[in-house]
Amino acid sequence: MYKKLDENGLTALLEAGIDEFSAKGLDKGNINVIAKNAGFSVGLIYKYYENKDQFFLACVEHSLKLLEQTLQEVLLQEDDIMSCIRLLIRQLITGAKEHANYYVMYNEITSGSCQKYAAELAGKIEGNTSRIYEALVAKAKAEGRIRYGGNPRMFAFYFDSLLMMLQFSFSCEYYKERLKIFCGEDVLKDPEKMAESFMEFMAGALGVV
């Protein structure tokens, strides 16, 4: 008889899956290793998930909750576009350091190993975010807070791409090394300086009034 998973058990299982998939990817991630690390049987995993791919997608959704929660908290706390950006950057940097495996997972799903789920994952991850950023820029333009005269949708794309790279730069080993090459060996020790530099760049790009 299989042990039924409570909320804590399910979280432990998904966290073990994220650790494995973020390190090895979908194809090489091992369900047996995941089950062992979570303290459950392989059979229990397949009781809740039809196959490895379905379990992987569940792990992706679990890892995305932090990103969604961060965005919602920022929008609830701040109304001004620059205040939103400042808080978002700081929380993303903190999140990338405290939950590096979540962001490594995010990086993994953008790679070729997840190509068959590209459209599905892109829609889940980027759909809501793109609309929020677009609305944020459009609102700031309408209120006369910025001089940016371009397409808000295009700006949302550029901005999100920068945020994505920033997340990877504080969580993925390759991008950490890349960051040090461009910005100096000690840059990871001073995330506040990184955040302020990002803010200066965004203020110039938006033409903050």
Side-chain angles (χ1 to χ4, degrees), residues 93 96-97 162 164-195 197-198:
I93 289 176
K97 293 174 69 176
L162 290 173
M164 183 168 62
M165 186 56 62
L166 188 64
Q167 294 164 37
F168 294 165
S169 295
F170 277 86
S171 56
C172 304
E173 293 305 314
Y174 175 87
Y175 289 105
K176 285 182 182 179
E177 294 302 318
R178 180 179 180 274
L179 177 62
K180 289 189 286 185
I181 290 170
F182 276 90
C183 302
E185 287 290 327
D186 296 328
V187 65
L188 290 169
K189 299 177 183 178
D190 192 358
E192 184 63 27
K193 182 178 180 181
M194 190 72 175
S197 179
F198 195 111

Side-chain angles (χ1 to χ4, degrees), residues 49-142:
Y49 303 99
E50 183 179 348
N51 50 46
K52 178 182 173 182
D53 282 25
Q54 291 303 311
F55 176 61
F56 170 79
L57 292 174
C59 290
V60 170
E61 290 192 9
H62 182 74
S63 67
L64 292 176
K65 287 181 181 178
L66 177 64
L67 300 178
E68 295 173 356
Q69 180 181 346
T70 296
L71 185 57
Q72 293 302 322
E73 288 177 354
V74 167
L75 294 174
L76 286 174
Q77 292 181 51
E78 302 290 349
D79 181 54
D80 173 68
I81 186 170
M82 293 306 292
S83 297
C84 281
I85 292 173
R86 178 178 286 106
L87 184 57
L88 183 60
I89 291 168
R90 287 174 174 164
Q91 291 196 6
L92 286 178
I93 289 176
T94 299
K97 293 174 69 176
E98 294 179 352
H99 302 280
N101 58 341
Y102 284 27
Y103 292 86
V104 174
M105 184 79 158
Y106 187 12
N107 182 48
E108 167 61 27
I109 64 180
T110 65
S111 71
S113 65
C114 299
Q115 185 174 358
K116 59 185 173 180
Y117 295 118
E120 178 181 351
L121 293 175
K124 286 183 178 179
I125 298 169
E126 317 293 353
N128 189 46
T129 303
S130 63
R131 290 188 290 272
I132 290 173
Y133 291 158
E134 179 187 354
L136 194 62
V137 174
K139 181 174 181 289
K141 283 183 65 175

